[in-house]
Amino acid sequence: MPNVPETLAPRRASRQIAVGKVLVGGNAPVSVQSMTTTPTTNINATLQQIAELTAAGCDIVRVAVPTREDAEALPAIAQKSQIPVIADIHFQPNYVYAAIDAGCAAVRVNPGNIRKFDDQVGEIAARARAAGVSLRIGVNAGSLDKRLLEKYGRPTPEALVESAVWEASLFEEHDFHDFKISVKHNDPIVMVKAYRLLAERGDWPLHLGVTEAGPAFQGTIKSATAFGILLSEGIGDTIRVSLSAPPVEEVKVGLQILQSLNLRERKLEIVSCPSCGRAQVDVYSLADEVTAGLEGMSVPLRVAVMGCVVNGPGEAREADLGVASGNGKGQIFVKGEVIKTVPEAEIVETLIAEANRIAADLPVSESASGTPTVSVG
């Protein structure tokens, strides 16, 4: 892989908590979360979706607990899940206690809509401490405390932060510190300002999220923009990309954001040109076919699929494996050297074969299975 700067900024110093087996904050890697979309009462379907998320690289999963029946399903889910389970609680404080008793790794509480939440903090802290369960104080623009809405007029960054800091202080009064905080908003600008303010107020580990980000394309852009700003400044310890799309897509986007910022080891990266009037081959089809052919492979390997003689040879030479195409043929590069020239019809087959050969020569720890990602530049 070409040499790239490790990170754009040092990680913000935050205290470390445990979410089951996953450490969050401190010097722990930034973790990726998602949330199941199945009814929690459907235990088998929920566990199946958790298994799919685990295979995609998800570190922590959240499940919704809106009813008593959902709370009753938590023990089986928490016990059988391969990754830590967070119970997502709103409105009913009794479900917080049920989630703790069920063996969930953590509980997300929303101070803005849990009934008489402030009065419950002492009991929640005591029960969570005894069970070794951590919490997330999850402040959302859409469910901000009415008192703060009256004070600020709308969910401003200052309003979100005031809510979070107030609730954090209540737990700290009870000497409970095993919690992280989120201050989510659907506007990336408001969200970034809120997290910057919050990061200055204390050393709590921070969970990043743009809430209600939108459909896959829009949500990806909004999340990548907001997360890219904050993570590049060292702010953020765990993330969830919220998309109106299957949860596995959230994990793929989250992992790619972290890899792009060198906060996760870069895996298979396909660099392809955007095409232009100089292109002498169908770059779109080549890139799609190579990506499809390498699906299921995840190795520290950069593959360049280039369509003309201007940038093609240079990009292909800098990649671990690449092709510079033109005039109905392609020059195949491996580690900067041309190893062969093949007809256009054989480019995809040759690249896939060479990628598999390189992967086979890598140590086992560097060639784990996963999903390739595409970077179009």
Side-chain angles (χ1 to χ4, degrees):
M1 291 286 290
N3 292 326
V4 292
E6 288 191 2
T7 57
L8 292 170
R11 288 277 297 281
R12 162 183 167 268
S14 62
R15 65 172 176 247
Q16 190 171 85
I17 66 170
V19 179
K21 63 184 179 181
V22 176
L23 297 178
V24 175
N27 60 358
V30 178
S31 53
V32 175
Q33 302 188 24
S34 186
M35 189 170 182
T36 55
T37 58
T38 54
T40 305
T41 51
N42 189 335
I43 294 173
N44 289 337
T46 300
L47 286 172
Q48 175 61 37
Q49 194 168 76
I50 290 175
E52 293 168 0
L53 288 166
T54 303
C58 188
D59 300 304
I60 300 168
V61 65
R62 186 156 44 107
V63 299
V65 189
T67 70
R68 177 176 56 82
E69 290 76 15
D70 294 307
E72 292 172 350
L74 288 176
I77 294 170
Q79 181 181 5
K80 294 180 181 179
S81 173
Q82 293 180 295
I83 56 177
V85 173
I86 298 177
D88 191 71
I89 309 297
H90 301 270
F91 305 113
Q92 289 288 352
N94 287 339
Y95 299 160
V96 176
Y97 307 128
I100 292 172
D101 294 340
C104 291
V107 180
R108 181 275 177 103
V109 292
N110 187 336
N113 62 25
I114 290 185
R115 296 172 186 169
K116 298 182 179 179
F117 180 81
D118 293 358
D119 296 337
Q120 302 281 335
V121 167
E123 180 67 14
I124 292 173
R127 298 274 288 271
R129 181 186 296 109
V133 171
S134 60
L135 303 175
R136 169 157 72 93
I137 298 174
V139 178
N140 258 35
S143 53
L144 195 62
D145 190 295
K146 292 181 180 179
R147 294 167 293 185
L148 292 170
L149 284 177
E150 291 173 0
K151 177 179 178 179
Y152 289 94
R154 65 183 190 281
T156 64
E158 293 77 10
L160 295 170
V161 171
E162 182 171 329
S163 175
V165 172
W166 167 252
E167 303 302 341
S169 72
L170 295 181
F171 280 102
E172 289 165 347
E173 286 177 3
H174 293 278
D175 198 28
F176 186 84
H177 304 277
D178 292 333
F179 61 86
K180 57 184 180 292
I181 301 177
S182 63
V183 282
K184 294 187 177 183
H185 197 286
N186 60 58
D187 186 322
I189 300 300
V190 176
M191 176 267 202
V192 167
K193 289 181 177 180
Y195 277 99
R196 282 174 171 169
L197 290 173
L198 186 59
E200 294 174 353
R201 297 289 297 272
D203 67 347
W204 312 287
L206 301 181
H207 170 85
L208 302 187
V210 179
T211 190
E212 288 91 40
F217 177 76
Q218 176 179 295
T220 295
I221 298 300
K222 290 170 72 172
S223 296
T225 299
F227 293 1
I229 292 169
L230 291 168
L231 291 169
S232 70
E233 296 173 0
I235 298 172
D237 301 290
T238 183
I239 65 173
R240 188 232 172 153
V241 177
S242 298
L243 301 177
S244 299
V248 165
E249 297 304 311
E250 298 184 348
V251 175
K252 291 179 180 178
V253 173
L255 288 171
Q256 186 58 42
I257 291 171
L258 295 182
Q259 288 180 36
S260 296
L261 293 167
N262 283 337
L263 293 170
R264 285 286 182 103
E265 180 186 16
R266 295 192 181 193
K267 301 295 184 181
L268 180 62
E269 182 180 9
I270 298 179
V271 179
S272 61
C273 64
S275 192
C276 67
R278 297 189 303 265
Q280 296 176 323
V281 297
D282 184 350
V283 178
Y284 301 150
S285 295
L286 283 181
D288 286 344
E289 290 174 24
V290 171
T291 301
L294 297 179
E295 185 174 3
M297 177 189 293
S298 183
V299 294
L301 184 73
R302 176 173 289 175
V303 180
V305 181
M306 307 302 295
C308 80
V309 296
V310 176
N311 296 320
E315 290 285 359
R317 188 174 292 111
E318 288 297 313
D320 297 292
L321 169 65
V323 60
S325 309
N327 295 322
K329 56 188 178 182
Q331 285 188 315
I332 307 298
F333 290 75
V334 174
K335 303 296 183 182
E337 301 293 333
V338 177
I339 62 166
K340 64 180 74 172
T341 300
V342 299
E344 181 178 342
E346 298 178 14
I347 289 175
V348 173
E349 176 185 353
T350 303
L351 287 177
I352 292 172
E354 290 297 326
N356 285 321
R357 181 185 62 78
I358 295 171
D361 291 339
L362 291 173
V364 174
S365 61
E366 296 185 60
S367 57
S369 63
T371 303
T373 58
V374 180
S375 172
V376 180

